[in-house]
Structure formats: structure tokens, C-alpha cells
Amino acid sequence: MKRPKSRKFNLRKRHSEVEEIELLESWIASGKPDAGSNPLSLPPPPKNSRIGKLSDGSFSPYSSAVKFIQLPLSKKTKDGLAAAGYSKMTDIQRASLPHSLCGRDILGAAKTGSGKTLAFIVPVLEKLFRARWGSEDGVGCIIISPTRELGGQLFDVLKSVGRYHGFSAGLLIGGRKDVDTEKERVNNLNILVCTPGRLLHHMDETPNFDCPQLQVLVLDEADRILDEGFKKQVNAIISQLPKYRQTFLFSATQTKSVQDLARLSLKDPEYISVDEESETATPSRLKQTAIVVPLDQKLDMLWSFIKTHLKSRILVFLSSCKQVKFVFEAFKKLRPGIPLKCLHGRMKQDKRTGIYSQFCEQHSVLFCTDVAARGLDFNQAVDWVVQADCPDDVASYIHRVGRTARYCSGGNSVLFVTPSETKMIDKLKEKKIPIECVKVKAKLLQPVSGLMAALLAKYPNLQQLAQRAFITYLRSVHKQRDKEVFDVSQLPIDEYSASLGLPMTPKVRFLKQKTKDKKVSEQMVIVPISAVESPSNPQQGSMVPGSSKEDDSKLEEGFLAEREPLLVGEENVTNTKDSMPVTRVLKKKKLKINVHRPVGTRVVFDEEGNTLPPLAKLADTKMDADSVKLDKDKVSQRYAELREAMKVADKEDKALAKERLKEKRRKEKMKRKRSRDEDKEESGLSEEDQSDMDNEANTGNSNKKQKVYFDSDNEDDGRDKIKMKDKITLREQEELALKLLSSMHS
Ligand code: ADP
Ligand code: MG
């Protein structure tokens, strides 16, 4: 009874779904916003106006919708949104959803925490719903996130809002061990949320994995995904995706690079930037300050900050994993009175997963690298974002501070800059970031440097961490691209080392190299163009002190970009003619293969180890050495002698071989005779046959045919004679005859 009922029910459901889709499509088509228009500029619909199909058969306008329910969305999505607590749309959602729902590509830019996630999750669900996507249709949507944590978070939002849809979704991120299980299932998933590396891994290694039907591609934090770090992976991914699809790119710092857009083959994308008119590039609820801190006081400042904000959730950004490890371990030992946590890329994924939710649960400090800078939503729980190390650039700053003051909540941020990095503050102000510089009273600082030295003495591991942190910090400053802000030579290195508690300043190879490089450049610098360019002067390189191969290789190691300006005073000119004009620097010599060089002569060693040309002994020594000619008669005579000698040797070898063969046969015969005497068996069997016989005897088969061996021998006279190998004695012949007779009788 149940079955027909449920079939009927399913049929009805399918019918209603088809009807719903038709209705939605008519609604979407009826009120499409003009391409390039900004829905935010339209007046909102009147309150309590009817939604959807109206009595006259027309549809309510949705371009100016303020609430999700005013949009042409499926019931399942609307219910999911309501269940997750979303009703009113944020600006980026209002501005982008009317465009994305009618199938347009979107380039969305909006401040951090402004709700970009729903701006792409909702149209993804709708697109697949209206396409009646099912499990057998395979991958319909790929959402790419730059970090694993953000991937996890997007997946959670997808699950929450899409709870009433029947799509299957999977989270594919690195660091998870269950790749094989993933491989089995990935072909049946409809929506993939993934990091670029893991997606490519599946594209390369999972059998039958491809997405020929892909409907939507989403890049969250698009500018990050499209930057150099992911370039190769993303290009490889895109090359495997169908071009006919809808594409959404979202970020707070959106890419406008034509090249990037061309890579993604966007079709007339809608560029939606809700904050272009805004006075600030960061949320207005965010209070931002900057403090100029000498590098050697940074730890004191950070410690003091934490000690004075024990009832907060503080996110501390540092420049490298090693910095994070050291500061976390050291502060943990100093017990500040607030739980400390850390998050960086070198941690195992099990540990990484869930750190951010733990962080949200209680007042604590989370030390992290930029792995936590993008997209993460700490449930509006972060009170303070402290950038203890200066960010790489303005975009990085915006994303870091964006971890606080999300959605409608407020937040605070503080940026530490060393005196040589103050240019960063100007750059931030130029990009519409309202940041206020504050001074800290030195007497309020709680110095920890003295304590650090004691800690390091007590814990050797911590000392190692401190050393590594010291070196990686300097390296990270040295590697920074923005040389206007970052200058490693301006840093008080010894003082910084002491502030970490290190007893001695560790040697920093690249810094030493820099000074060495300076010296080298001072010595080498000026060489006249004519001297450098003259091909007739191959020794030119050695004229310049310090231009040896070794120095070159060191220079290459990392500081080439950092070389000091190379022009120096004329007193440093070496080996140049006074009259020569001051010109340019020697470039690194290129190794060239000269194809016209003379071909080398072959050296042959004779038996005594003398180097003589072949047959030189036979050369006519009277002739001059250059034109060594061979006496033909002597050569042929020599060959005749050699042939004779070889013939003699050959005869001797054959005689010897014959002798050996005879001896072998004699031994075999003796052996056979012995065994015949023992077993009273027939004669003429080799050892192998004997063993075969033994085997057969064991199996009870002794009725064996006699084998007769022939041998080709005695080739000396050129004719092969065939002869009986073994002469049969008279007695043996009699025995044989008797046997034959008896077998005939029986
Ligand atoms: P972004 O990606 O722009 O940084 P998110 O999508 O992570 O921002 O959203 C930030 C916060 O705002 C999240 O906690 C999210 O739940 C909340 N949020 C987003 N849209 C809405 C909405 N329409 N109504 C209420 N809260 C929202
Ligand atoms: Mg986001």
C-alpha cells in the first residue's frame, strides 16, 4: 500500500518542482536588471507588497530586493536561509544576487565581513536547482578557497543554507589523509569546496574525474587565488574546466587585471563594487591604530598589550611560522594569564582544524601567520587584531584587520611598525584606511627581554626557536618586495637579538653576504666598455678583483636584487686606462661553447703506458714529425707476421681443447662404468640423464629407451666425422642380445 502512495507523492513532488522551476525562470526573465546597473541605486520595494506572481500574471520586481524572500529563489533555499537566520540582505548580496541569478558572471568586491559568502552560495544552489542537477550528473560547481580553514568554513555555510536541497557536496582540502576515500566518492559529488592543490591532485590522479558539465566556478578571495603563489595550479585547473560556465570572483581587494579575467574566460562580467563610493576601504566600525615600536621593543610591547587585554579575544599576526612558534612557546612559559593558541601552515591539519572555533569559545590569544588572514569568520568574536609584524602590503593589511568588525559588530586593530617601516602608515592612509598613530608611554611597557634570556638559558629548545625566529624575521624583511617600506639594513640587529634573549647575535648569511657584496662591488665596479666588450681580451674577467666564479655563485644566492648602487669614485678604478671614459659594470661572464675550436687529438696508450699515436712505431721516423706517414710494406709485413702468429696460437688452442675434451669423456665413462657396476643398468647416460633416471626410478618408470650420443669431432682435416661415441664391448653386446631375445619371447 505504501509503495504506490510514495510513488504518487514523488511524482507530485517532481511536478511541483518542475512548476516551481518554470515559475522561477519566468520571474527571473521578467525582471532582469540591466547589465551594468547597480541594484543598490534603485528604490526599495514598498513594504508589504506582494511577492512573486501577481494576480495580473506579472511578477514582483526583484532587482531592488532588500530581503532574500523578495528574490526569485527556490523554496528550499529560502527555507535554508531562514533556518540559518538570514533574512535581510547585506549590500553586496543586494547588489550582486539580481545579476548572478540571471546567469551573469560576477566580479564582486566588498569590505571584509560584508557577507560575500552568501552572495555566491545562494546563486550556486539556485543554478543547480533550476538545472535539476542530480547525483548522476556529477560535479556541477567548484568553489575554490586559498586556505583549508576558509574552505571548511565555506563548506559549513553551504551545508547550512543548502540543508533542504538534495545535492551532495564534498570538502577537498590538503592535509587530510583520506584521499583514497575521497577518490572513490569525488565523482559522485555535485558541489566541491576545495583548495587549489587538492583539486588539482584529484584532477591528476583520480580515475575518471573530470567536470565536463561544470555549471559554476567560484573563486573566493579571488585576487589571492589568482596571484603568483597559485598561478601554476590555477592555470592547470582552469585548463581542465569547460569554458561555458558561470564564474563568480569575490574578494575585499578585487583583481581588475585584464590578464586574470582573460585567464578565466569571463563573459562580460558584472563588476560589483559596493564600497567604491565609501570613504574608507575598511569597515567603518573598525577602530584602527598604529604604534611605532623599535624592533628590539616589539616583544615588550606585545607582552604588555596582552597583559592589559586579558578579557579579550586577540588575533596576533606574525610574519612566519617560526616567529609564531617562538613567541607562542616563550609567552606560554611566561604565563600571561590568558589562554594562548597558535595557527600556522606547518601545523598538522588535525591540530589546525578546529583551532579557530576553540578560539571563539573563550578569551584567548591566537598567534598566527597570514594563513588566518583571508576570509576566516571567527563568529564576530575577535576583539583585537594585532599586527605585530608589518603586513606585506595594503591588501594584506585590509584582510588581516578584516578578521574583526565583521557584519554588524565592532572591532579594534593595532599595527606595530618599526621606525624604518613608517612609510607603510602613509600608504595605508593613501588607500582610504583611517588609521591613527598613537604613542605609548615607555614607562607603561612591561619588559620581557630580561626574562627571555633566563628562559632561553633554561630551555635549549626555546633558544633554537629564538634563533630561527630571529633569522626568518630578518629574511622575511629582506625578501619583501616593497623596498620603500622594508629595509633590513635599517634594523638594529644586535639589539633585536638581545631582546629575544639570545646570548649572541646569530650569524645571518645573507646579511654578511650583503656587506661582502658591497665590498666586492666597491672593488670591482668600473671597467671601460671597450675592455669588457673586446672579444680579443679573454682574460678581462680576471682583471677585476673579486669576480671569481666563487664570488659569482655567492652573489647569485640571493642578494643580486639588493646590490648597492654600483657607481663609485674614480679612485677605485682598477686596471683602466686614464683616458677611458667611466662606463659600466662587468656583467657575469657567460660560458659559451666555441664550435670553431680545434678538435683535440686522440691519445692512445701502449701496453707500457706510453702515449703514442696508433702504429707510431712503424712510422717513418725520417720524415718530419708533423706529417707522420706510414711505410706500406712494413705495415703489410707486420700484418702477415701477426696472421702467422695467430694461426700457431689457434692450433695450440685447438689441441689443448681436444685434450681437455678427451679427458672429460674419459672421466664420464669411468663414472658411468662405476654406476653401471653398481646398478647393473645400461651404459651411455650422462649425469643429467642419470638424475632423470633416478627421478623416474622413483616414480616406478624404469622402461627407458636407450640414448645414443653422437659427437662432431676432429675438425682438423676439415670434415666432420660421425662416429659411435662409446665402443660396446663383446660382453655388453652379448648382454644386449640376450635382453632383446627375452623381450621378443615374452
Ligand atoms: P566576507 O566574506 O564578506 O568577509 P562573510 O560572508 O564571511 O563575509 O560574512 C560575514 C558575517 O556576516 C558572517 O558571520 C555571516 O554569517 C554574516 N552574514 C552574512 N550575510 C548576512 C545576512 N544577510 N544577514 C545576517 N548575517 C549575515
Ligand atoms: Mg569571505
Side-chain angles (χ1 to χ4, degrees):
M1 286 295 282
K2 263 187 180 176
R3 266 196 156 184
K5 197 181 169 188
S6 77
R7 205 182 296 155
K8 214 173 174 182
F9 173 76
N10 281 342
L11 239 136
R12 212 182 310 140
K13 206 176 125 192
R14 224 179 296 154
H15 271 301
S16 69
E17 232 176 61
V18 172
E19 278 167 20
E20 188 187 3
I21 290 168
E22 277 172 6
L23 195 84
L24 285 173
E25 274 170 355
S26 314
W27 188 0
I28 288 170
S30 75
K32 274 185 186 178
D34 294 338
S37 67
N38 180 5
L40 291 178
S41 61
L42 301 170
K47 272 186 183 173
N48 303 326
S49 57
R50 276 189 62 86
I51 297 163
K53 199 165 184 177
L54 307 176
S55 47
D56 61 353
S58 65
F59 292 92
S60 61
Y62 64 88
S63 295
S64 56
V66 177
K67 293 180 178 175
F68 287 113
I69 47 160
Q70 294 166 340
L71 289 172
L73 300 179
S74 63
K75 188 171 179 316
K76 286 176 179 173
T77 303
K78 280 184 182 169
D79 289 349
L81 285 164
Y86 303 118
S87 74
K88 245 186 118 190
M89 289 189 279
T90 64
D91 282 357
I92 182 70
Q93 292 157 5
R94 278 179 62 197
S96 66
L97 283 171
H99 288 290
S100 54
L101 285 173
C102 57
R104 294 177 185 151
D105 287 353
I106 304 284
L107 258 170
K111 292 178 188 176
T112 51
S114 58
K116 294 184 287 291
T117 315
L118 286 185
F120 57 78
I121 296 277
V122 169
V124 161
L125 290 171
E126 286 304 290
K127 176 113 185 168
L128 297 188
F129 173 76
R130 293 204 310 266
R132 310 204 64 217
W133 210 257
S135 54
E136 63 288 347
D137 294 316
V139 180
C141 169
I142 294 177
I143 301 173
I144 306 181
S145 144
T147 64
R148 300 168 186 180
E149 281 73 16
L150 179 58
Q153 203 172 291
L154 299 179
F155 189 63
D156 290 342
V157 177
L158 177 70
K159 278 194 300 184
S160 161
V161 177
R163 67 184 80 176
Y164 299 115
H165 284 281
F167 308 126
S168 53
L171 175 65
L172 311 178
I173 53 171
R176 287 160 60 131
K177 289 173 194 145
D178 47 359
V179 197
D180 293 335
T181 333
E182 269 180 27
K183 280 183 184 172
E184 283 166 24
R185 294 183 190 167
V186 74
N187 283 321
N188 299 322
L189 297 174
N190 299 142
I191 304 173
L192 306 180
V193 181
C194 43
T195 47
R198 192 62 155 223
L199 176 62
L200 196 59
H201 180 106
H202 281 292
M203 284 182 155
D204 290 344
E205 292 186 15
T206 303
N208 306 326
F209 177 77
D210 64 4
C211 329
Q213 313 273 15
L214 188 80
Q215 303 289 302
V216 197
L217 172 69
V218 182
L219 308 190
D220 193 15
E221 304 296 335
D223 57 326
R224 172 78 188 96
I225 290 176
L226 293 169
D227 81 9
E228 279 303 312
F230 288 118
K231 196 168 190 171
K232 273 189 188 164
Q233 289 174 341
V234 169
N235 283 350
I237 291 169
I238 292 170
S239 69
Q240 298 184 49
L241 299 178
K243 282 196 176 154
Y244 188 76
R245 53 155 203 261
Q246 204 177 352
T247 308
F248 301 144
L249 311 187
F250 280 91
S251 181
T253 48
Q254 187 57 281
T255 179
K256 288 180 193 165
S257 145
V258 179
Q259 275 177 346
D260 285 341
L261 307 185
R263 273 161 76 197
L264 288 161
S265 11
L266 297 188
K267 298 172 293 295
D268 303 325
E270 286 295 325
Y271 183 69
I272 294 162
S273 173
V274 293
D275 305 312
E276 244 164 20
E277 317 284 271
S278 168
E279 281 174 13
T280 59
T282 44
S284 50
R285 308 164 306 276
L286 174 64
K287 194 169 177 314
Q288 305 169 66
T289 42
I291 307 175
V292 180
V293 191
L295 182 60
D296 49 315
Q297 286 177 22
K298 232 188 217 182
L299 268 193
D300 297 341
M301 180 65 82
L302 185 57
W303 176 258
S304 310
F305 183 88
I306 292 171
K307 289 293 283 179
T308 48
H309 293 85
L310 295 178
K311 293 269 174 276
S312 317
R313 288 179 193 84
I314 308 168
L315 200 56
V316 179
F317 283 99
L318 293 152
S319 59
S320 67
C321 301
K322 287 181 177 126
Q323 289 275 98
V324 168
K325 270 191 206 170
F326 168 67
V327 178
F328 169 67
E329 292 294 338
F331 279 18
K332 214 165 69 173
K333 294 199 163 57
L334 292 172
R335 295 174 185 275
I338 180 171
L340 304 180
K341 295 180 171 50
C342 70
L343 182 67
H344 56 78
R346 292 273 171 100
M347 280 164 71
K348 288 205 172 127
Q349 193 53 39
D350 312 351
K351 267 192 164 182
R352 273 172 73 167
T353 309
I355 276 273
Y356 82 99
S357 50
Q358 284 172 26
F359 171 64
C360 297
E361 281 161 19
Q362 54 180 159
H363 293 148
S364 53
V365 182
L366 178 61
F367 298 99
C368 57
T369 57
D370 277 335
V371 76
R374 288 264 183 172
L376 285 189
D377 185 55
F378 294 91
N379 294 336
Q380 299 154 35
V382 180
D383 301 304
W384 280 95
V385 169
V386 179
Q387 305 196 43
D389 289 334
C390 190
D392 300 349
D393 46 32
V394 176
S396 174
Y397 174 93
I398 291 174
H399 287 283
R400 282 174 168 191
V401 293
R403 297 318 99 214
T404 184
R406 295 180 71 73
Y407 189 51
C408 292
S409 66
N412 302 283
S413 77
V414 56
L415 167 71
F416 295 175
V417 286
T418 63
S420 59
E421 291 165 351
T422 46
K423 187 92 182 65
M424 178 55 92
I425 300 173
D426 301 337
K427 292 199 169 194
L428 294 175
K429 285 180 179 167
E430 274 167 30
K431 291 277 162 93
K432 299 201 293 187
I433 293 166
I435 188 164
E436 196 189 332
C437 249
V438 294
K439 281 186 180 166
V440 175
K441 287 178 192 156
K443 63 177 182 187
L444 292 181
L445 279 185
Q446 300 183 26
V448 278
S449 308
L451 301 173
M452 296 301 265
L455 267 188
L456 263 54
K458 195 172 169 193
Y459 303 101
N461 285 352
L462 198 60
Q463 180 154 344
Q464 278 183 4
L465 283 181
Q467 274 180 357
R468 286 189 203 136
F470 172 84
I471 290 168
T472 44
Y473 175 73
L474 294 180
R475 189 178 295 133
S476 71
V477 174
H478 152 56
K479 280 188 177 168
Q480 288 287 358
R481 275 196 225 148
D482 190 347
K483 299 294 172 203
E484 276 183 342
V485 176
F486 300 99
D487 182 357
V488 77
S489 66
Q490 300 278 318
L491 300 176
I493 287 167
D494 293 329
E495 291 83 346
Y496 175 48
S497 160
S499 76
L500 301 185
L502 287 166
M504 271 185 358
T505 310
K507 280 181 191 157
V508 186
R509 209 156 46 95
F510 59 86
L511 285 183
K512 258 176 66 188
Q513 186 54 49
K514 190 177 182 185
T515 35
K516 200 173 173 183
D517 199 19
K518 240 184 194 171
K519 280 181 201 161
V520 168
S521 64
E522 277 164 12
Q523 286 174 8
M524 68 185 267
V525 182
I526 298 162
V527 180
I529 278 181
S530 54
V532 178
E533 287 182 344
S534 165
S536 60
N537 193 354
Q539 298 301 313
Q540 202 63 58
S542 60
M543 279 167 59
V544 186
S547 67
S548 72
K549 211 172 158 193
E550 201 187 331
D551 281 340
D552 270 352
S553 68
K554 279 182 197 157
L555 287 173
E556 246 184 326
E557 213 173 283
F559 237 94
L560 275 177
E562 282 297 289
R563 279 192 192 172
E564 297 296 309
L566 290 170
L567 284 181
V568 293
E570 275 186 45
E571 61 275 16
N572 285 331
V573 176
T574 54
N575 264 327
T576 53
K577 291 169 205 157
D578 293 345
S579 58
M580 290 289 184
V582 173
T583 50
R584 68 171 208 206
V585 180
L586 256 190
K587 278 188 186 159
K588 202 180 158 195
K589 247 175 78 183
K590 272 189 186 170
L591 274 180
K592 265 191 186 170
I593 296 169
N594 181 1
V595 287
H596 303 298
R597 78 188 149 78
V599 180
T601 45
R602 190 158 65 102
V603 179
V604 177
F605 291 86
D606 67 5
E607 282 169 4
E608 284 87 39
N610 302 316
T611 55
L612 286 168
L615 300 177
K617 272 183 190 169
L618 306 174
D620 189 350
T621 45
K622 279 171 210 160
M623 300 190 120
D624 70 53
D626 281 359
S627 53
V628 180
K629 284 183 186 166
L630 298 176
D631 185 331
K632 275 186 183 169
D633 291 345
K634 276 189 176 178
V635 172
S636 52
Q637 190 191 330
R638 176 74 183 141
Y639 278 132
E641 280 171 22
L642 285 173
R643 240 178 275 131
E644 269 313 301
M646 277 167 75
K647 261 188 184 172
V648 174
D650 194 37
K651 262 192 176 174
E652 283 169 6
D653 285 349
K654 276 183 179 165
L656 199 68
K658 206 172 165 185
E659 224 18 71
R660 277 190 194 140
L661 206 68
K662 268 187 183 170
E663 179 63 17
K664 194 179 161 195
R665 282 193 196 127
R666 199 183 58 76
K667 278 185 183 167
E668 277 173 9
K669 205 170 173 183
M670 292 288 287
K671 217 174 180 180
R672 281 198 297 272
K673 214 171 180 184
R674 247 181 277 132
S675 65
R676 200 173 47 223
D677 289 347
E678 279 168 22
D679 304 336
K680 302 211 184 303
E681 285 269 346
E682 305 278 339
S683 66
L685 297 174
S686 69
E687 269 175 29
E688 277 172 45
D689 296 320
Q690 184 64 54
S691 72
D692 283 348
M693 281 267 304
D694 289 344
N695 289 341
E696 282 181 19
N698 289 341
T699 55
N701 181 9
S702 57
N703 223 357
K704 199 73 185 133
K705 270 190 187 167
Q706 194 179 349
K707 277 185 182 173
V708 181
Y709 282 76
F710 297 96
D711 190 13
S712 77
D713 198 357
N714 213 1
E715 312 96 315
D716 279 5
D717 56 3
R719 280 180 298 144
D720 286 355
K721 267 189 194 169
I722 299 173
K723 63 173 189 177
M724 276 292 280
K725 186 185 164 196
D726 302 317
K727 284 173 190 161
I728 305 175
T729 59
L730 194 63
R731 213 179 119 244
E732 284 167 343
Q733 282 180 13
E734 281 171 356
E735 272 178 18
L736 199 60
L738 267 171
K739 271 194 178 173
L740 282 168
L741 278 171
S742 59
S743 65
M744 274 171 71
H745 284 297
S746 61

